[in-house]
């Protein structure tokens, strides 16, 4: 008989990394005079997809799509504010 080895899935740290970056962005928003850190941390946070990364975009529930699109909009708004503030 062959030894059967259990195949374990690697740990997915995306949820923790996403939460850390979003919390850091919120902290920078309220504590830092320079809003560039807020925009950067919001933009980087979306890289760490907090949902099932193996699930295709078309198969995701609408609330997950909405969450990620709203997050992307908030990051774009933060970058837009940052650029607009520097122009004035």
């Amino acid at each position: 008989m062959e030894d059967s080895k259990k195949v374990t899935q690697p740990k997915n740290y995306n949820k923790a990394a996403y939460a850390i970056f979003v919390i850091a962005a919120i902290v920078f928003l309220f504590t830092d005079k320079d809003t560039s850190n807020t925009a950067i941390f919001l933009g980087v946070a979306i890289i760490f997809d907090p949902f099932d990364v193996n699930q295709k975009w078309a198969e995701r529930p609408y609330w997950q799509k909405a969450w990620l699109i709203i997050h992307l909009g908030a990051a774009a708004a933060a970058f837009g504010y940052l650029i607009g503030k520097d122009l004035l």
Side-chain angles (χ1 to χ4, degrees), residues 40-72:
I40 291 168
F41 274 78
L42 272 180
V44 171
I46 202 161
I47 293 171
F48 301 104
D49 186 357
F51 306 113
D52 184 11
V53 294
N54 296 323
Q55 192 174 24
K56 294 182 181 179
W57 179 258
E59 297 171 355
R60 290 183 184 225
Y62 287 117
W63 70 271
Q64 287 183 4
K65 293 178 185 179
W67 180 274
L68 293 172
I69 290 171
I70 289 169
H71 182 117
L72 183 63

